[in-house]
Short mmCIF file of all heavy atoms in Angstrom, two decimals:
data_model
loop_
_atom_site.label_atom_id
_atom_site.label_comp_id
_atom_site.label_asym_id
_atom_site.label_seq_id
_atom_site.Cartn_x
_atom_site.Cartn_y
_atom_site.Cartn_z
N LYS A 69 101.91 115.00 122.45
CA LYS A 69 103.04 114.04 122.75
C LYS A 69 102.69 112.66 122.23
O LYS A 69 103.61 111.80 122.05
CB LYS A 69 103.43 114.06 124.19
CG LYS A 69 102.32 113.56 125.14
CD LYS A 69 102.75 113.83 126.57
CE LYS A 69 101.88 113.02 127.57
NZ LYS A 69 100.39 113.43 127.47
N ARG A 70 101.44 112.38 122.12
CA ARG A 70 101.05 110.98 121.72
C ARG A 70 100.81 110.84 120.22
O ARG A 70 100.46 109.75 119.83
CB ARG A 70 99.78 110.54 122.51
CG ARG A 70 100.01 110.34 123.95
CD ARG A 70 98.83 109.57 124.45
NE ARG A 70 97.55 110.28 124.23
CZ ARG A 70 96.92 111.05 125.20
NH1 ARG A 70 97.55 111.36 126.28
NH2 ARG A 70 95.73 111.61 124.88
N ARG A 73 102.57 107.93 118.49
CA ARG A 73 103.03 106.89 119.32
C ARG A 73 102.97 105.51 118.72
O ARG A 73 103.92 104.85 118.53
CB ARG A 73 102.28 106.90 120.60
CG ARG A 73 102.63 105.77 121.59
CD ARG A 73 101.79 105.89 122.83
NE ARG A 73 100.64 105.03 122.74
CZ ARG A 73 99.59 105.14 123.61
NH1 ARG A 73 99.54 106.11 124.47
NH2 ARG A 73 98.57 104.31 123.48
N ARG A 74 101.79 105.05 118.37
CA ARG A 74 101.61 103.74 117.86
C ARG A 74 102.14 103.54 116.48
O ARG A 74 102.81 102.52 116.21
CB ARG A 74 100.12 103.31 117.90
CG ARG A 74 99.73 103.12 119.33
CD ARG A 74 98.23 102.94 119.47
NE ARG A 74 97.83 103.53 120.78
CZ ARG A 74 97.62 102.77 121.89
NH1 ARG A 74 97.76 101.47 121.87
NH2 ARG A 74 97.32 103.28 123.06
N LEU A 122 106.05 97.69 144.57
CA LEU A 122 106.69 98.51 143.57
C LEU A 122 105.78 99.65 143.04
O LEU A 122 106.28 100.74 142.64
CB LEU A 122 106.97 97.63 142.27
CG LEU A 122 108.06 96.56 142.45
CD1 LEU A 122 108.15 95.76 141.19
CD2 LEU A 122 109.45 97.24 142.70
N SER A 123 104.43 99.48 143.19
CA SER A 123 103.59 100.46 142.60
C SER A 123 103.53 101.82 143.31
O SER A 123 102.97 102.72 142.90
CB SER A 123 102.09 99.93 142.54
OG SER A 123 101.53 99.94 143.84
N THR A 125 105.84 103.89 143.45
CA THR A 125 106.44 104.85 142.73
C THR A 125 105.50 105.24 141.47
O THR A 125 105.85 106.22 140.80
CB THR A 125 107.72 104.37 142.12
OG1 THR A 125 107.48 103.18 141.30
CG2 THR A 125 108.71 104.05 143.14
N CYS A 126 104.44 104.54 141.23
CA CYS A 126 103.57 104.82 140.06
C CYS A 126 102.40 105.72 140.49
O CYS A 126 101.84 106.41 139.69
CB CYS A 126 103.00 103.53 139.50
SG CYS A 126 104.15 102.15 139.44
N GLN A 127 102.10 105.64 141.83
CA GLN A 127 100.81 106.33 142.28
C GLN A 127 100.75 107.77 142.10
O GLN A 127 99.67 108.27 141.89
CB GLN A 127 100.60 105.92 143.76
CG GLN A 127 100.49 104.37 143.94
CD GLN A 127 99.78 103.99 145.20
OE1 GLN A 127 99.22 104.91 145.86
NE2 GLN A 127 99.64 102.73 145.48
N GLY A 128 101.92 108.37 142.29
CA GLY A 128 101.89 109.85 142.14
C GLY A 128 101.27 110.28 140.82
O GLY A 128 100.61 111.35 140.77
N CYS A 129 101.49 109.56 139.82
CA CYS A 129 100.91 109.85 138.46
C CYS A 129 99.67 109.03 138.19
O CYS A 129 98.66 109.64 137.67
CB CYS A 129 101.93 109.63 137.35
SG CYS A 129 103.38 110.72 137.54
N HIS A 130 99.73 107.75 138.32
CA HIS A 130 98.61 106.87 137.95
C HIS A 130 97.56 106.68 139.03
O HIS A 130 96.50 105.98 138.82
CB HIS A 130 99.17 105.47 137.52
CG HIS A 130 99.91 105.52 136.24
ND1 HIS A 130 99.31 105.60 134.96
CD2 HIS A 130 101.23 105.56 136.01
CE1 HIS A 130 100.24 105.57 134.04
NE2 HIS A 130 101.38 105.60 134.57
N ASP A 140 95.14 113.30 131.97
CA ASP A 140 96.18 113.10 130.99
C ASP A 140 96.95 111.75 131.17
O ASP A 140 97.78 111.38 130.47
CB ASP A 140 97.20 114.26 130.95
CG ASP A 140 96.54 115.52 130.50
OD1 ASP A 140 95.57 115.52 129.62
OD2 ASP A 140 96.91 116.60 131.02
N THR A 141 96.66 111.14 132.29
CA THR A 141 97.43 109.97 132.73
C THR A 141 96.54 108.76 132.75
O THR A 141 95.45 108.78 133.36
CB THR A 141 98.06 110.15 134.11
OG1 THR A 141 98.77 111.38 134.11
CG2 THR A 141 99.06 108.96 134.37
N PRO A 142 96.86 107.69 131.85
CA PRO A 142 95.92 106.60 131.81
C PRO A 142 95.71 105.83 133.12
O PRO A 142 96.59 105.80 133.96
CB PRO A 142 96.52 105.66 130.76
CG PRO A 142 98.03 106.02 130.74
CD PRO A 142 98.08 107.51 131.09
N ARG A 143 94.53 105.34 133.28
CA ARG A 143 94.30 104.42 134.47
C ARG A 143 94.89 103.11 134.13
O ARG A 143 94.81 102.59 133.04
CB ARG A 143 92.81 104.31 134.68
CG ARG A 143 92.15 105.60 135.32
CD ARG A 143 90.77 105.40 135.75
NE ARG A 143 90.31 106.68 136.48
CZ ARG A 143 89.13 106.77 136.97
NH1 ARG A 143 88.26 105.75 137.07
NH2 ARG A 143 88.82 107.90 137.59
N LEU A 144 95.38 102.48 135.18
CA LEU A 144 95.93 101.13 134.97
C LEU A 144 95.09 100.06 135.75
O LEU A 144 95.17 98.89 135.43
CB LEU A 144 97.41 101.05 135.54
CG LEU A 144 98.42 102.10 134.99
CD1 LEU A 144 99.72 101.99 135.72
CD2 LEU A 144 98.52 101.87 133.49
N GLN A 147 93.25 97.01 133.96
CA GLN A 147 93.74 96.84 132.50
C GLN A 147 94.33 95.45 132.46
O GLN A 147 94.72 94.82 133.43
CB GLN A 147 94.89 97.90 132.25
CG GLN A 147 95.39 97.90 130.83
CD GLN A 147 94.36 98.02 129.78
OE1 GLN A 147 93.70 97.03 129.36
NE2 GLN A 147 93.97 99.29 129.34
N TYR A 151 98.47 93.29 128.36
CA TYR A 151 98.54 94.69 127.73
C TYR A 151 99.56 95.53 128.46
O TYR A 151 100.37 96.20 127.89
CB TYR A 151 97.13 95.27 127.76
CG TYR A 151 97.12 96.62 126.97
CD1 TYR A 151 96.99 96.66 125.56
CD2 TYR A 151 97.17 97.74 127.64
CE1 TYR A 151 97.00 97.82 124.90
CE2 TYR A 151 97.09 99.00 126.97
CZ TYR A 151 97.05 99.02 125.58
OH TYR A 151 97.03 100.27 124.92
N ILE A 152 99.48 95.51 129.80
CA ILE A 152 100.36 96.30 130.67
C ILE A 152 101.82 95.86 130.46
O ILE A 152 102.72 96.67 130.27
CB ILE A 152 99.99 96.19 132.14
CG1 ILE A 152 98.63 96.87 132.40
CG2 ILE A 152 101.10 96.86 133.01
CD1 ILE A 152 98.12 96.72 133.81
N GLN A 155 103.08 97.17 127.09
CA GLN A 155 103.34 98.59 127.07
C GLN A 155 104.62 98.91 127.73
O GLN A 155 105.43 99.73 127.35
CB GLN A 155 102.15 99.38 127.66
CG GLN A 155 100.78 99.18 126.90
CD GLN A 155 100.85 99.38 125.44
OE1 GLN A 155 101.59 100.26 124.96
NE2 GLN A 155 100.19 98.56 124.65
N LEU A 156 104.79 98.36 129.01
CA LEU A 156 106.00 98.63 129.77
C LEU A 156 107.24 98.12 129.03
O LEU A 156 108.24 98.84 129.11
CB LEU A 156 105.93 97.94 131.16
CG LEU A 156 104.89 98.58 132.19
CD1 LEU A 156 104.81 97.75 133.43
CD2 LEU A 156 105.37 99.96 132.51
N PHE A 159 107.97 100.71 126.36
CA PHE A 159 108.66 101.89 126.93
C PHE A 159 110.09 101.65 127.27
O PHE A 159 111.01 102.36 126.94
CB PHE A 159 107.90 102.34 128.23
CG PHE A 159 106.64 102.99 128.03
CD1 PHE A 159 105.43 102.43 128.74
CD2 PHE A 159 106.36 104.08 127.23
CE1 PHE A 159 104.22 103.10 128.68
CE2 PHE A 159 105.12 104.71 127.06
CZ PHE A 159 104.08 104.11 127.84
N ARG A 164 108.03 102.80 122.40
CA ARG A 164 106.87 103.65 122.54
C ARG A 164 107.40 104.97 123.20
O ARG A 164 107.95 104.96 124.30
CB ARG A 164 105.80 103.04 123.48
CG ARG A 164 104.66 104.01 123.76
CD ARG A 164 103.44 103.34 124.38
NE ARG A 164 102.56 104.31 124.99
CZ ARG A 164 101.41 103.99 125.60
NH1 ARG A 164 101.07 102.80 125.76
NH2 ARG A 164 100.72 105.00 126.12
N PRO A 165 107.18 106.06 122.53
CA PRO A 165 107.71 107.36 123.12
C PRO A 165 106.99 107.80 124.33
O PRO A 165 105.76 107.62 124.39
CB PRO A 165 107.46 108.40 121.95
CG PRO A 165 107.08 107.55 120.73
CD PRO A 165 106.52 106.31 121.23
N SER A 166 107.70 108.31 125.27
CA SER A 166 107.26 108.99 126.42
C SER A 166 108.40 109.09 127.30
O SER A 166 108.86 108.14 127.89
CB SER A 166 106.11 108.18 127.21
OG SER A 166 105.92 108.73 128.56
N VAL A 168 108.88 110.29 130.18
CA VAL A 168 108.60 109.98 131.59
C VAL A 168 108.57 108.36 131.78
O VAL A 168 109.22 107.80 132.62
CB VAL A 168 107.24 110.50 132.06
CG1 VAL A 168 106.75 109.87 133.26
CG2 VAL A 168 107.30 111.97 132.28
N MET A 169 107.73 107.72 130.88
CA MET A 169 107.57 106.31 131.09
C MET A 169 108.88 105.53 130.65
O MET A 169 109.12 104.46 131.23
CB MET A 169 106.37 105.81 130.30
CG MET A 169 105.07 106.03 131.13
SD MET A 169 105.07 105.40 132.77
CE MET A 169 105.47 103.70 132.54
N ARG A 171 111.86 106.53 131.28
CA ARG A 171 112.73 106.57 132.42
C ARG A 171 112.25 105.68 133.55
O ARG A 171 113.04 104.92 134.07
CB ARG A 171 112.75 108.06 132.94
CG ARG A 171 113.72 108.29 134.08
CD ARG A 171 113.84 109.76 134.47
NE ARG A 171 112.58 110.53 134.43
CZ ARG A 171 111.65 110.43 135.32
NH1 ARG A 171 111.81 109.66 136.40
NH2 ARG A 171 110.57 111.27 135.25
N VAL A 172 110.95 105.64 133.76
CA VAL A 172 110.33 104.82 134.83
C VAL A 172 110.71 103.25 134.42
O VAL A 172 111.16 102.53 135.25
CB VAL A 172 108.86 104.93 134.88
CG1 VAL A 172 108.21 103.83 135.71
CG2 VAL A 172 108.52 106.29 135.53
N LEU A 176 112.99 98.89 135.52
CA LEU A 176 112.22 97.59 135.92
C LEU A 176 112.84 96.41 135.29
O LEU A 176 113.25 96.36 134.11
CB LEU A 176 110.83 97.77 135.35
CG LEU A 176 110.03 98.94 135.86
CD1 LEU A 176 108.66 99.07 135.17
CD2 LEU A 176 109.80 98.79 137.36
N LEU A 184 104.04 94.04 138.51
CA LEU A 184 103.28 95.24 138.40
C LEU A 184 102.02 94.98 137.65
O LEU A 184 100.86 95.39 138.03
CB LEU A 184 104.11 96.38 137.74
CG LEU A 184 105.09 97.02 138.66
CD1 LEU A 184 106.16 97.75 137.84
CD2 LEU A 184 104.39 97.98 139.63
N PHE A 188 98.17 95.59 138.98
CA PHE A 188 97.17 96.47 138.48
C PHE A 188 96.00 95.82 137.76
O PHE A 188 94.86 96.26 137.87
CB PHE A 188 97.87 97.44 137.44
CG PHE A 188 98.66 98.51 138.13
CD1 PHE A 188 100.03 98.59 137.96
CD2 PHE A 188 98.07 99.45 138.99
CE1 PHE A 188 100.81 99.58 138.58
CE2 PHE A 188 98.85 100.46 139.62
CZ PHE A 188 100.20 100.56 139.44
N GLN A 246 88.73 104.94 131.20
CA GLN A 246 89.77 105.83 130.80
C GLN A 246 89.16 107.26 130.75
O GLN A 246 88.02 107.42 130.48
CB GLN A 246 90.37 105.49 129.39
CG GLN A 246 91.36 104.30 129.48
CD GLN A 246 92.54 104.41 130.42
OE1 GLN A 246 92.70 105.37 131.14
NE2 GLN A 246 93.35 103.37 130.40
N TYR A 250 92.10 111.32 127.62
CA TYR A 250 93.09 110.35 127.24
C TYR A 250 92.52 109.47 126.13
O TYR A 250 93.20 109.25 125.11
CB TYR A 250 93.54 109.46 128.41
CG TYR A 250 94.58 108.44 128.07
CD1 TYR A 250 95.91 108.83 127.95
CD2 TYR A 250 94.22 107.19 127.75
CE1 TYR A 250 96.82 107.93 127.54
CE2 TYR A 250 95.21 106.30 127.43
CZ TYR A 250 96.47 106.64 127.38
OH TYR A 250 97.44 105.74 126.91
C1 LIG B 185 105.78 111.09 136.38
C2 LIG B 185 104.43 110.36 136.04
C3 LIG B 185 104.46 108.83 135.84
C4 LIG B 185 105.02 107.93 136.71
C5 LIG B 185 105.77 108.04 137.99
C6 LIG B 185 104.49 106.61 136.10
N1 LIG B 185 103.86 106.88 134.91
FE1 LIG B 185 103.12 105.42 133.69
N2 LIG B 185 102.39 106.87 132.44
C7 LIG B 185 102.51 108.24 132.64
C8 LIG B 185 101.92 108.98 131.49
C9 LIG B 185 101.83 110.47 131.28
C10 LIG B 185 101.50 107.97 130.54
C11 LIG B 185 100.95 108.12 129.13
C12 LIG B 185 102.10 108.13 128.22
C13 LIG B 185 101.70 108.51 126.72
O1 LIG B 185 100.87 107.80 126.19
O2 LIG B 185 102.36 109.41 126.20
C14 LIG B 185 101.76 106.65 131.17
C15 LIG B 185 101.49 105.46 130.55
C16 LIG B 185 101.64 104.24 131.20
C17 LIG B 185 101.20 102.92 130.63
C18 LIG B 185 100.50 102.77 129.38
C19 LIG B 185 98.94 102.62 129.70
C20 LIG B 185 98.12 102.52 128.46
O3 LIG B 185 96.84 102.39 128.58
O4 LIG B 185 98.61 102.44 127.30
C21 LIG B 185 101.57 102.01 131.59
C22 LIG B 185 101.28 100.49 131.50
C23 LIG B 185 102.25 102.62 132.76
N3 LIG B 185 102.29 103.98 132.44
C24 LIG B 185 102.69 102.00 133.84
C25 LIG B 185 103.38 102.65 134.88
C26 LIG B 185 103.98 101.95 136.00
C27 LIG B 185 103.85 100.42 136.27
C28 LIG B 185 104.58 102.95 136.79
C29 LIG B 185 105.41 102.70 138.15
C30 LIG B 185 106.46 101.72 138.09
C31 LIG B 185 104.39 104.20 136.20
N4 LIG B 185 103.66 104.00 134.98
C32 LIG B 185 104.88 105.41 136.58
C33 LIG B 185 103.04 108.84 133.76
C34 LIG B 185 103.72 108.18 134.77
#
Side-chain angles (χ1 to χ4, degrees):
K69 63 188 193 302
R70 289 197 302 264
R73 176 181 93 195
R74 286 168 212 263
L122 291 173
S123 76
T125 59
C126 321
Q127 298 204 4
C129 297
H130 289 282
D140 296 327
T141 310
R143 287 191 176 183
L144 303 177
Q147 184 54 275
Y151 186 82
I152 294 175
Q155 302 307 322
L156 286 174
F159 288 126
R164 175 168 166 182
S166 167
V168 164
M169 280 309 303
R171 184 170 42 73
V172 168
L176 301 175
L184 282 161
F188 285 117
Q246 282 302 4
Y250 181 79

